[in-house]
Amino acid sequence: MAKTRTPKSQRFQAPKAQGLPDRETLLRHIRETGETDRGELARTFGLKGADRRALRQMLQEMQDEGTLAKRGRKGVAQPGALPPVGVVDVVERDPDGELLVRLTKGAEDTPLVRLAPERGEAVTGAPGLGDRLLVRFVELENGETEARLIKRLGQSAHRVLGVVRKARRETRIEPVDRKSKESLIVFDDGQLKDGDLVLAQVGTAERRHGPKRGKVLEVVGREDQPRAASLIAIHTHGIPTGFSDEAEAEAEAAKAPELAGREDLRDVPLITIDPADARDHDDAVYAHPDDDPKNPGGHVVWVAIADVAAYVRPNSALDREAREKGNSVYFPDRVEPMLPERLSNGLCSLREGENRACMAVRMVFDKTGRKRSHRFVRGLMRSAAKLSYEQAQAAIDGQPDDKTGPLLEPILKPLWAAYHTMLKGRLARSPLAIESLERKIVIDEKGEVASITPRASLEAHRLIEEMMIQANVSAAESLEAKRTPLVYRVHDAPSPEKLDSLAEFLGSIGVSWSKGEAVRTDRFNRLLELTREGPHAEIVNEVVLRTQMQAHYNTDNIGHFGLNLDRYAHFTSPIRRYADLIVHRALITALGLNLPGAPDGLSDWDISHMKATAEEITAAERRAMAAERDATDRYIAAFLSDRVGATFEGRITGVTRFGLFVRLAETGADGLVPVSSLGGEFFVHDERMHALVGERTGERWPLGMSVEVRLREATPITGGLLFEMLSDAAPPDPTTPRPRLGVRRKVGRPPPAGRSGRGKRR
C-alpha cells in the first residue's frame, strides 16, 4: 500500500539531545515524514560539522543498500513512499481508460497511482498522457491511494494564457486551462477586445479573498481565430518557441558541405519518400540485389540520414537550444522545429539534386531477411528524387507518373524486392502488430478545419519504417561493439498488473487469456488475429495498446518489447529528435569519423550528462505528445462546434466511475457521457467486468459497446466534447453477481422523486 504522511499529532518527535541518530531512529523519522532532505534532517537532530558529514555518509550507505530512495538532488524517502503533495507525470492509461501517474522524482521506486477524475469534465479538458501535474495523494477507505489534481504544470505559475472577458465595470482574463480556477482582473486602456487571446502576468490579490490582479503582456490572437488551438497548446504546455539571435547566427553561418573527410555517395541513387506535405527530408534509401555469390537471394540496403552533427556542435547555442526543445513539435497547422529553418529545411534537408552531408549505413541481408553485416560511413550524397508515399505506392501498383516512370525499374522495384526480403525477418521476429487508426486534420487556406480523414496505411509506409528500424538497430549494435555510451530507445514488457487487467477484460467478452504463459509479442499478435474479424476487434486492439508500457530513452538497455529487439537506438531523425543527434555523435566518436577541423563527436559533457539527457528528452517528448494531443482536441471541437445537437455512432472506449468515454466512428473524436446523465439509479464501476453496472437493474455499460450519442457541447477553447447517451444499456449479465452498494465504487445519482429508471431516449 502506498504510504502517506502520518497525522501531525502522531508524528515522530526528534529527541531534544543533539547528536547523530542511529539508523532505526533515522528510518522512523523519514518513514513518518514521508519525504525529507539532508538539511531538514540535520536541523531536526541539531547536527553540525562532523555530524552533518556523518549523516550524509549514513544516508548514502542506506541509499546504496536500498533502505532509502533518492528524491531529486538532496531528498530522501522510504522506497515506495508518497508525499502528501507531489509533482507527477501521467505515464499510462489502464484498460478502462483511467490515467495512472508516477512521481516525477524517484520514479523508479514509487508506485503507479490512479488519477482521480473530476466529475462532469469533458475528456479532452482533462489531463492526458505526457502531462505534468501537481497532485495531492489521498488514502481511500479500501487501502488504495489515489492522486487528486491540484493544477497542471504546463505553463508558468506566474503567467496565464487566457481569454479577455469584458464587463461594464471590469475586464477579466479567463484562463484557457479549465483546471485553473482563478481569473485575473486587468487594467484596460480600451485596446483590449472581448475574445482576445492574451498572455498575462499574474499579480497579487487586491483583497484577501478577492481575484488577483494581472497585467497583459501580449495579445497572441483571438479565441475564434482558427489557429488559436496550436497557440494555446504551445503556451499551456511550455513548448519552447523560436531561437536566440546567437543560435540563428550560427545557423546562418553554416556552409554547404564539402567532400573532405567524406565518402562520395553522389553516384548512389538514393531517394527520399515522405508525406506529400513534408518540408524537411532527413532520410533517403536505396537497395539492390547483393552480387556476392556467398549471399544468393540477398540484398544490399542503403539508408542515408542528414548529418546534423556537422552543423550542431557540442555546447554551441544551437546544441543547447536543441537539447532544451528535445524534439520538433507537430501541430495540424504548424511545426515548432528543433532546429532553425536554415538547417531543418535547408542544409540538413536531403533535397533532390543538391549535395548534402549525410551519415549512411550500408546493410546486407540474406534471403531470409536476416541482417548479415553493416557498416557506417560519413558521406556526401545527392538525392536522385523526392517522392511522396502515394507516388511511390502508385508506381509499384502499376500507375507510375512522369516522375516515377523512369525510376520504376532501376530504383523502386529493387527497393520493394529488398523490403519483401526484409519482411521475412520481420515476420519471424513478430513485433507487435497493433493497428492504430490515425486521423489527419486537413487545414484549409483560412486556417480552418476542412476535414478529418483516416490516414492511409500503405506498403510504402511500412517499407520506410522497416528500413529505418534496421538502421536504428545497426547504430545500437555498432556502439555496443565499441563500448561507447549511448542513449537507447527502450520499451519494457507489460506489468503483471496490466496483464491481469487485460485477462479480466478478455474474460468479460468470452476470450481466454492464460496468465501463466510467458509474455511475448507473438501472444498478443495471436490474440489480435483471433479477434480481428469479430465485433470486439477495435476495442481489443485498443485495450492491448493500453496494456503496453510507454517507450522512453535510457542509458540502461532493457530492449524494445514492442519491436521484439534486444537493442535499439534512434538514429534516423536528427533534424527533429535530439536523441538521434547524440547517437550520431557517438558513432562519429566510436568509428573515428571526425571531420577535419573542429571535433563534432561526443564531448566530455555529453558523456557525463548522458543519463540526464535521456531523462530530459523523454520528458520533452511527452510534453510534445500532450501539446499535440491538446491542439488536435481543440481543432476537432472547433470542427464539431456547429454540429451540436447532431447524433453520431461511436464506441465506449473508457469506463470510469464518473462516466463513459465515447469515440466517434466518423472523426475519431473522444468525448464524455457523464454518469449523472445515464439515468436515475446508482451505477457501480465494476473494474473486473470493465463496465458501469446499475445497482437496481443490473443493466450494463461495458467497455467496447457500440452506442449512439448526441453532441451536447463542443468547446473549442478547451477542446471539450460532452455527449448525451441515446442507446439503451446492455441487459444484465446472468453469469455475473449483481454488485452491491459499497462493494465496488458507487457512482451516479439517486433517482429523482417520481421517476423510476431512465427509460428510452431517442
Side-chain angles (χ1 to χ4, degrees):
M1 183 177 69
K3 299 172 179 60
T4 51
R5 184 168 289 187
T6 305
K8 197 169 184 179
S9 60
Q10 303 173 22
R11 278 188 204 162
F12 169 85
Q13 299 295 319
K16 292 183 179 179
Q18 294 184 347
L20 186 69
D22 57 37
R23 289 166 65 99
E24 185 178 342
T25 303
L26 189 62
L27 264 177
R28 182 184 168 201
H29 175 66
I30 293 172
R31 185 184 306 120
E32 296 187 355
T33 53
E35 183 178 321
T36 186
D37 59 42
R38 295 199 301 262
E40 184 180 334
L41 287 170
R43 288 189 293 274
T44 298
F45 291 97
L47 305 181
K48 296 181 180 179
D51 282 342
R52 273 185 174 246
R53 290 191 291 274
L55 173 67
R56 190 181 308 119
Q57 182 177 350
M58 183 188 296
L59 291 172
Q60 188 59 56
E61 290 172 354
M62 294 169 77
Q63 287 177 45
D64 292 342
E65 68 190 30
T67 308
L68 291 178
K70 190 174 182 180
R71 292 287 188 271
R73 197 162 65 90
K74 296 182 179 180
V76 291
Q78 190 177 14
L82 296 170
V85 173
V87 176
V88 299
D89 290 320
V90 182
V91 296
E92 294 181 24
R93 190 185 291 276
D94 72 10
D96 277 345
E98 294 204 76
L99 298 172
L100 304 176
V101 302
R102 196 193 296 275
L103 277 177
T104 301
K105 297 178 180 178
E108 292 181 1
D109 67 87
T110 54
L112 286 170
V113 179
R114 192 189 307 272
L115 180 66
E118 292 193 9
R119 293 173 183 264
E121 270 312 332
V123 59
T124 46
L129 289 174
D131 280 350
R132 181 159 288 184
L133 316 170
L134 181 67
V135 301
R136 178 175 292 104
F137 292 104
V138 177
E139 188 173 341
L140 306 177
E141 292 181 4
N142 62 5
E144 294 180 6
T145 298
E146 71 176 15
R148 296 181 181 173
L149 181 68
I150 297 175
K151 66 182 294 187
R152 289 169 76 166
L153 299 177
Q155 66 183 52
S156 166
H158 303 292
R159 290 189 173 192
V160 169
L161 185 70
V163 179
V164 173
R165 297 292 182 229
K166 301 188 78 167
R168 223 167 82 184
R169 302 183 62 179
E170 64 183 20
T171 299
R172 292 190 178 225
I173 307 298
E174 300 289 347
V176 297
D177 182 357
R178 61 168 51 184
K179 299 300 176 189
S180 181
K181 305 299 183 184
E182 293 184 345
S183 60
L184 300 176
I185 293 179
V186 296
F187 170 72
D188 182 7
D189 60 359
Q191 299 297 312
L192 295 175
K193 299 181 179 65
D194 196 77
D196 278 348
L197 189 63
V198 300
L199 189 64
Q201 178 80 36
V202 179
T204 56
E206 193 69 0
R207 300 176 299 277
R208 185 171 183 182
H209 300 293
K212 290 182 178 179
R213 292 279 179 179
K215 177 184 178 183
V216 173
L217 302 176
E218 180 184 359
V219 178
V220 297
R222 295 277 304 167
E223 68 169 322
D224 54 359
Q225 183 182 10
R227 299 181 185 274
S230 52
L231 283 174
I232 293 170
I234 286 169
H235 283 282
T236 55
H237 291 277
I239 302 295
T241 59
F243 300 92
S244 67
D245 292 342
E246 186 182 1
E248 291 281 11
E250 289 178 1
E252 289 301 321
K255 298 178 180 179
E258 298 178 351
L259 186 57
R262 298 184 180 278
E263 186 170 326
D264 195 344
L265 302 177
R266 286 175 290 181
D267 290 334
V268 178
L270 292 148
I271 64 170
T272 62
I273 305 178
D274 290 296
D277 57 355
R279 297 183 61 198
D280 53 64
H281 311 278
D282 53 8
D283 58 78
V285 293
Y286 172 66
H288 61 83
D290 190 3
D291 57 8
D292 184 349
K294 296 179 181 179
N295 187 29
H299 286 82
V300 175
V301 176
W302 281 91
V303 172
I305 305 299
D307 187 2
V308 176
Y311 300 101
V312 183
R313 302 296 177 98
N315 202 35
S316 63
L318 282 170
D319 181 44
R320 292 191 298 271
E321 292 177 31
R323 186 175 189 269
E324 180 192 6
K325 287 172 179 279
N327 46 251
S328 298
V329 187
Y330 294 85
F331 301 106
D333 66 318
R334 72 182 70 204
V335 177
E336 186 56 46
M338 188 180 81
L339 299 174
E341 188 171 0
R342 163 73 172 161
L343 297 180
S344 63
N345 192 28
L347 289 175
C348 292
S349 184
L350 306 181
R351 291 180 178 177
E352 180 180 339
E354 298 186 23
N355 288 352
R356 285 294 181 263
C358 69
M359 287 280 290
V361 57
R362 179 185 186 272
M363 301 175 287
V364 180
F365 296 88
D366 67 18
K367 63 183 179 181
T368 69
R370 182 181 63 87
K371 183 162 66 70
R372 297 183 58 177
S373 64
H374 69 265
R375 71 179 178 93
F376 283 90
V377 301
R378 211 161 183 191
L380 184 69
M381 64 161 284
R382 184 185 293 134
S383 172
K386 179 187 82 167
L387 302 181
S388 69
Y389 287 113
E390 291 78 11
Q391 265 184 303
Q393 189 67 56
I396 287 295
D397 292 343
Q399 296 176 311
D401 58 22
D402 291 344
K403 186 166 190 176
T404 56
L407 303 174
L408 188 57
E409 294 297 331
I411 297 178
L412 293 177
K413 285 188 176 180
L415 260 180
W416 253 260
Y419 166 64
H420 287 147
T421 297
M422 297 169 72
L423 187 58
K424 297 175 185 176
R426 180 183 176 92
L427 293 175
R429 194 175 81 240
S430 191
L432 275 176
I434 296 172
E435 295 179 356
S436 180
L437 180 60
E438 295 184 31
R439 305 278 174 166
K440 181 179 181 180
I441 297 178
V442 180
I443 305 294
D444 63 20
E445 294 179 355
K446 297 179 181 178
E448 298 178 346
V449 180
S451 63
I452 300 173
T453 59
R455 287 186 183 273
S457 179
L458 305 175
E459 190 175 48
H461 291 108
R462 297 188 287 276
L463 178 150
I464 294 297
E465 178 190 29
E466 186 60 23
M467 291 182 177
M468 296 305 113
I469 286 172
Q470 292 300 330
N472 288 336
V473 170
S474 299
E477 289 175 346
S478 288
L479 293 174
E480 277 197 356
K482 293 291 186 178
R483 300 183 182 277
T484 303
L486 76 148
V487 174
Y488 292 94
R489 180 67 169 178
V490 299
H491 182 223
D492 205 354
S495 66
E497 294 79 13
K498 287 195 163 211
L499 291 170
D500 287 346
S501 187
L502 172 66
E504 288 178 350
F505 165 70
L506 293 174
S508 73
I509 60 172
V511 177
S512 62
W513 176 272
S514 173
K515 296 182 182 180
E517 286 188 46
V519 184
R520 298 191 311 270
T521 52
D522 60 348
R523 278 197 72 198
F524 287 109
N525 290 342
R526 288 197 301 272
L527 168 65
L528 293 169
E529 187 60 36
L530 175 69
T531 58
R532 194 176 305 280
E533 302 301 324
H536 302 293
E538 184 181 338
I539 197 62
V540 169
N541 190 84
E542 180 81 14
V543 171
V544 169
L545 177 62
R546 291 175 184 174
T547 302
Q548 308 309 312
M549 309 297 280
Q550 270 194 294
H552 62 281
Y553 296 106
N554 204 318
T555 52
D556 297 324
N557 184 29
I558 60 171
H560 198 293
F561 177 79
L563 294 174
N564 201 10
L565 293 168
D566 293 331
R567 56 194 58 82
Y568 191 65
H570 271 167
F571 160 76
T572 54
S573 294
I575 289 178
R576 60 186 180 89
R577 291 189 307 225
Y578 193 79
D580 305 57
L581 175 58
I582 288 293
V583 169
H584 278 230
R585 287 179 184 164
L587 288 167
I588 291 167
T589 297
L591 304 177
L593 299 177
N594 273 297
L595 296 175
D600 49 9
L602 284 177
S603 68
D604 292 340
W605 192 94
D606 283 335
I607 295 171
S608 64
H609 289 76
M610 197 163 286
K611 185 175 180 63
T613 296
E615 293 173 352
E616 289 177 26
I617 60 179
T618 295
E621 177 187 45
R622 293 182 177 174
R623 174 183 66 193
M625 287 168 51
E628 290 167 356
R629 185 194 66 245
D630 277 6
T632 297
D633 290 342
R634 288 184 171 96
Y635 270 117
I636 290 175
F639 182 66
L640 294 175
S641 60
D642 61 354
R643 299 182 66 183
V644 170
T647 61
F648 300 88
E649 298 297 323
R651 186 178 295 273
I652 296 174
T653 57
V655 180
T656 70
R657 60 188 182 276
F658 68 100
L660 304 169
F661 294 148
V662 173
R663 180 168 299 158
L664 303 185
E666 180 183 330
T667 59
D670 291 299
L672 175 71
V673 178
V675 69
S676 58
S677 70
L678 288 176
E681 69 171 312
F682 285 104
F683 279 88
V684 176
H685 180 204
D686 190 322
E687 294 186 60
R688 187 177 62 83
M689 296 301 295
H690 300 269
L692 287 181
V693 182
E695 189 197 26
R696 179 173 52 80
T697 64
E699 291 184 340
R700 298 173 300 121
W701 297 102
L703 190 66
M705 178 180 174
S706 294
V707 294
E708 184 181 12
V709 294
R710 177 182 288 120
L711 180 59
R712 232 174 65 192
E713 179 184 322
T715 314
I717 200 68
T718 62
L721 297 177
L722 213 57
F723 296 133
E724 175 187 3
M725 183 63 72
L726 299 179
S727 298
D728 289 322
D733 183 351
T735 65
T736 304
R738 190 169 303 172
R740 290 177 290 108
L741 190 63
V743 174
R744 303 258 202 276
R745 281 183 265 183
K746 181 179 73 173
V747 296
R749 294 179 179 173
R755 184 175 175 185
S756 58
R758 56 181 295 276
K760 188 171 183 179
R761 260 186 266 177
R762 287 290 180 188

